[in-house]
Amino acid sequence: MAGKTVEKRKHSGVGTVDPRDEPSAAWGWHGTFPKATRIAGWVTAILLFVMIYNNHENNTENVWLIGLGVAVIIGLLIDLKRQRTAWRR
């Protein structure tokens, strides 16, 4: 039974996407949300820095919050740089 399915997929065109593998291809959308992802990243970074102002026993939590916030911001800046230079490729 599985052999027929694999055989059918091999004979399909190179540029086509099987809707069973990727259901969104059936109704024509096959992409991402780049703007929403960037907004969510900035909101996450801000919330990480806001969580520093809390009642902590020691500064270990602060180190992790600052480190993760900086890592998110670095990722967002790399994405911004890649977005601006995408037309050169």
Side-chain angles (χ1 to χ4, degrees):
M1 183 77 176
K4 291 180 182 178
T5 305
V6 172
E7 190 68 29
K8 187 188 293 183
R9 288 182 187 173
K10 285 182 182 177
H11 291 298
S12 64
V14 176
T16 60
V17 176
D18 190 3
R20 290 175 295 182
D21 293 334
E22 300 175 16
S24 62
W27 45 276
W29 181 80
H30 200 71
T32 60
F33 298 105
K35 193 172 189 179
T37 304
R38 289 183 197 103
I39 291 170
W42 285 110
V43 169
T44 301
I46 290 169
L47 288 176
L48 284 170
F49 291 128
V50 167
M51 283 194 290
I52 292 173
Y53 300 105
N54 201 350
N55 53 351
H56 295 190
E57 297 287 328
N58 55 20
N59 285 329
T60 306
E61 297 92 352
N62 293 341
V63 171
W64 277 99
L65 290 171
I66 291 171
L68 289 173
V70 168
V72 169
I73 289 175
I74 288 172
L76 288 167
L77 293 176
I78 289 171
D79 182 55
L80 181 67
K81 172 86 169 150
R82 188 175 43 179
Q83 176 193 5
R84 287 187 178 179
T85 60
W87 62 273
R88 295 182 195 167
R89 294 181 191 167

